[in-house]
Amino acid sequence: MQLTLEFGGGLELLCDSVKIHNVSVEPQDGEQKLTMKYLLSWVRTNLIKERPEMFMKGDTVRPGVLVLVNDTDWELSGQLDTVLEEKDVIVFISTLHGG
């Protein structure tokens, strides 16, 4: 499944300073659908190059990371249970900034 992942607000620094990633991710073995829960695990393993604790806490994103799926807050679509579809755009933005 082709997805576009975008990182902003400083999160791109965890991915070798690359903001936009066009990726191919297949559902977990035995699953028919790709969920955000599996995608986050995939991102941690395949894209995050350093300090994964700045992106994730447990099996979800850290507090202060805004997640948009096709420009809609993922809290409106089920968060970790959100089912992704071909060509979806997922944006991760850190709302926490140093001063």
Side-chain angles (χ1 to χ4, degrees):
M1 178 177 305
Q2 297 296 316
L3 302 171
T4 300
L5 308 180
E6 298 181 18
F7 296 84
L11 290 176
E12 68 276 7
L13 299 175
L14 305 178
C15 305
D16 286 339
S17 297
V18 178
K19 287 189 173 215
I20 299 175
H21 300 261
N22 293 304
V23 300
S24 178
V25 181
E26 296 306 318
Q28 197 170 7
D29 290 340
E31 297 291 326
Q32 298 296 320
K33 297 178 180 179
L34 180 63
T35 63
M36 279 297 298
K37 182 174 183 174
Y38 180 71
L39 178 66
L40 289 176
S41 172
W42 186 92
V43 166
R44 179 172 37 202
T45 301
N46 296 281
L47 292 182
I48 302 294
K49 302 298 183 195
E50 59 183 68
R51 301 175 64 187
E53 70 277 4
M54 298 300 293
F55 179 65
M56 292 186 69
K57 183 174 184 179
D59 64 354
T60 191
V61 293
R62 287 187 64 79
V65 175
L66 175 65
V67 181
L68 303 174
V69 178
N70 299 322
D71 296 324
T72 302
D73 190 329
W74 78 325
E75 291 184 3
L76 301 174
S77 62
Q79 294 180 319
L80 292 174
D81 295 327
T82 301
V83 175
L84 301 172
E85 297 182 6
E86 186 77 24
K87 301 202 185 296
D88 277 353
V89 177
I90 299 92
V91 180
F92 302 96
I93 302 171
S94 176
T95 60
L96 305 176
H97 302 281

